[in-house]
Amino acid sequence: MTEKLHLTPDDEFPEDLSTVADKELQVLDSQVQRQLDYEYVADGEPNPETEFRHYDLDEEFSERDKRDS
């Protein structure tokens, strides 16, 4: 199975990131980051949904760092 490189605003996204395994979360983060980069280049600004997903992922990583320390 091949992973998509980008996660467009229309693609499904987990509602509760706390239930997503670490490896899958890292894949999601890479996909969202690639989409964010693409939107900046193609449109000059990010789609609000992509920006929101990026923020959510950052928050989840921060929460996991707090739990692990």
Side-chain angles (χ1 to χ4, degrees):
M1 178 172 133
T2 331
E3 293 288 337
K4 290 178 66 175
L5 293 179
H6 299 255
L7 192 69
T8 70
D10 294 329
D11 291 332
E12 286 191 35
F13 189 78
E15 289 200 25
D16 183 3
L17 292 175
S18 67
T19 63
V20 177
D22 288 347
K23 184 176 179 180
E24 188 179 337
L25 193 70
Q26 291 171 345
V27 170
L28 275 174
D29 185 52
S30 292
Q31 291 170 324
V32 169
Q33 186 60 54
R34 284 187 186 106
Q35 181 64 24
L36 197 60
D37 292 345
Y38 169 79
E39 290 170 4
Y40 273 116
V41 170
D43 303 326
E45 62 183 15
N47 180 292
E49 182 63 24
T50 304
E51 206 168 31
F52 178 74
R53 290 174 174 186
H54 185 252
Y55 175 80
D56 264 3
L57 285 160
D58 283 348
E59 287 295 305
E60 182 58 30
F61 279 119
S62 291
E63 285 301 313
R64 291 182 188 204
D65 284 347
K66 288 178 193 172
R67 288 192 301 259
D68 291 342
S69 52

